[in-house]
């Protein structure tokens, strides 16, 4: 697949995904818009490392409402998803996953066995997108549990926020918190009434440098093929000053 074909395929799949949500929705106009670069990079890496085929299955760990499963399905992949959020929190997920004939497995990612119902050594690839920062119980152990879902030679694509940026350095100098969800971390309990550790989508328990993240992957038994930074996409809902700054040619280096 050429770069031109890849770009065109992504645009078509992205357009189909956007049509599922109302134009004024937070998910379409802010979440998808801001994460477009990251999502496109994930799809490009999947296509490069594990091309679709009859026995190629991909699981999205932390699938939210199933949007990434939908995009992967447009490329010809068999997909499945798992998440800690209840169906009541994302009511559209059940219908979307059913339309893809994609399996969905609930799980608590901050438990010793986060994937009790997922088949082992079954998936060619796993995606862990913006989830690792929410893991409190045993981050390396969580990666090992994902590894157990993969077939021999299977791949894991992981994305997580980078706390070592100029913007975060400025926030620190101003005495502001730089990890997303600081207030929620201080106010939310970490254990529920049954004694189970809680996964909070509004709390980042920890954010990692690239070096620490690579070390965690290796300790979990993965061979790290590549590590890179991906900046957020520009979108109309961002403040004008933010959009102007991010258009500067040196911004990606910051």
């Amino acid at each position: 697949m050429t770069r031109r074909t890849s770009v065109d395929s992504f645009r078509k799949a992205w357009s189909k995904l956007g049509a599922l949500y109302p134009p004024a929705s937070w998910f379409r106009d802010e979440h998808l818009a801001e994460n477009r670069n990251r999502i496109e990079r994930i799809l490009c890496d999947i296509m490069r490392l594990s091309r679709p085929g009859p026995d190629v299955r991909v699981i999205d760990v932390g699938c939210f409402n199933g949007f990434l499963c939908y995009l992967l399905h447009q490329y010809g992949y068999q997909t499945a998803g798992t998440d800690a959020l209840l169906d009541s929190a994302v009511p559209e997920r059940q219908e979307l996953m059913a339309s893809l004939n994609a399996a969905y497995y609930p799980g608590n990612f901050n438990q010793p066995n986060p994937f009790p119902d997922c088949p082992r050594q079954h998936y060619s690839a796993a995606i862990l997108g913006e989830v690792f920062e929410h893991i409190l119980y045993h981050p390396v152990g969580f990666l090992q549990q994902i590894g157990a879902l993969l077939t021999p030679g299977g791949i894991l694509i992981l994305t997580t926020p980078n706390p070592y940026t100029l913007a975060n350095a400025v926030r620190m100098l101003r005495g502001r918190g730089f990890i997303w969800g600081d207030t929620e971390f201080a106010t939310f309990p970490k254990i529920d009434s049954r004694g189970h550790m809680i996964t909070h989508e509004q709390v980042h328990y920890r954010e990692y440098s690239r070096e620490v993240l690579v070390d965690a992957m290796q300790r979990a038994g993965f061979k790290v093929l590549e590590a890179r930074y991906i900046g957020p996409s520009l979108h109309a809902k961002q403040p004008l000053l933010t959009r102007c700054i991010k258009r500067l040619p040196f911004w990606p280096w910051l």
Side-chain angles (χ1 to χ4, degrees):
M1 179 179 288
T2 65
R3 173 62 180 166
R4 180 72 263 164
T5 303
S6 177
V7 170
D8 289 342
S9 297
F10 178 75
R11 285 176 177 169
K12 290 177 182 178
W14 191 258
S15 178
K16 288 182 178 180
L17 175 65
L20 297 178
Y21 304 97
S25 70
W26 160 84
F27 181 75
R28 173 177 166 171
D29 289 351
E30 295 186 47
H31 180 81
L32 287 181
E34 184 159 332
N35 286 281
R36 178 169 175 152
N37 287 347
R38 178 178 64 85
I39 294 166
E40 183 176 10
R41 186 72 260 170
I42 287 173
L43 292 173
C44 286
D45 285 347
I46 285 282
M47 290 291 292
R48 177 168 54 90
L49 297 170
S50 187
R51 299 297 296 272
D55 298 319
V56 178
R57 294 176 287 266
V58 183
I59 185 166
D60 184 12
V61 179
C63 65
F64 186 51
N65 62 8
F67 76 92
L68 198 51
C69 290
Y70 180 87
L71 287 172
L72 288 163
H73 183 78
Q74 303 304 309
Y75 281 78
Y77 289 97
Q78 299 180 54
T79 60
T82 178
D83 203 278
L85 286 175
L86 299 175
D87 288 340
S88 58
V90 277
E92 71 271 27
R93 180 175 60 206
Q94 190 173 18
E95 181 179 354
L96 180 60
M97 297 295 277
S99 72
L100 307 176
N101 196 27
Y104 172 74
Y105 304 100
N108 184 337
F109 296 170
N110 278 308
Q111 291 294 302
N113 182 10
F115 315 115
D117 301 319
C118 292
R120 267 44 180 180
Q121 293 192 338
H122 186 72
Y123 299 99
S124 307
I127 297 169
L128 187 66
E130 310 302 286
V131 171
F132 196 58
E133 63 276 9
H134 298 281
I135 304 305
L136 174 63
Y137 169 67
H138 186 196
V140 170
F142 182 66
L143 294 175
Q144 290 171 331
Q145 292 279 353
I146 294 175
L149 304 180
L150 298 173
T151 56
I155 63 170
L156 169 62
I157 295 178
L158 184 158
T159 71
T160 191
N162 169 31
Y164 297 94
T165 65
L166 179 61
N168 276 344
V170 171
R171 291 187 185 100
M172 289 183 65
L173 290 173
R174 296 176 62 189
R176 295 173 56 192
F178 67 92
I179 293 180
W180 188 73
D182 280 340
T183 300
E184 290 79 3
F185 180 87
T187 56
F188 286 170
K190 310 302 181 293
I191 306 293
D192 67 17
S193 59
R194 298 171 296 170
H196 295 163
M197 198 166 289
I198 299 169
T199 296
H200 274 303
E201 72 276 10
Q202 298 182 53
V203 172
H204 288 187
Y205 290 122
R206 173 68 193 271
E207 295 180 0
Y208 300 86
S209 69
R210 179 163 63 175
E211 289 73 17
V212 173
L213 187 60
V214 167
D215 180 70
M217 295 281 289
Q218 292 171 337
R219 289 176 184 270
F222 288 95
K223 178 182 178 181
V224 178
L225 302 178
E226 197 170 359
R228 67 166 78 91
Y229 296 109
I230 305 170
S233 308
L234 290 171
H235 64 87
K237 295 290 185 178
Q238 292 172 332
L240 177 60
L241 179 59
T242 298
R243 282 179 280 154
C244 290
I245 292 174
K246 289 186 175 182
R247 285 193 176 97
L248 296 173
F250 57 79
W251 173 254
W253 296 98
L254 301 181

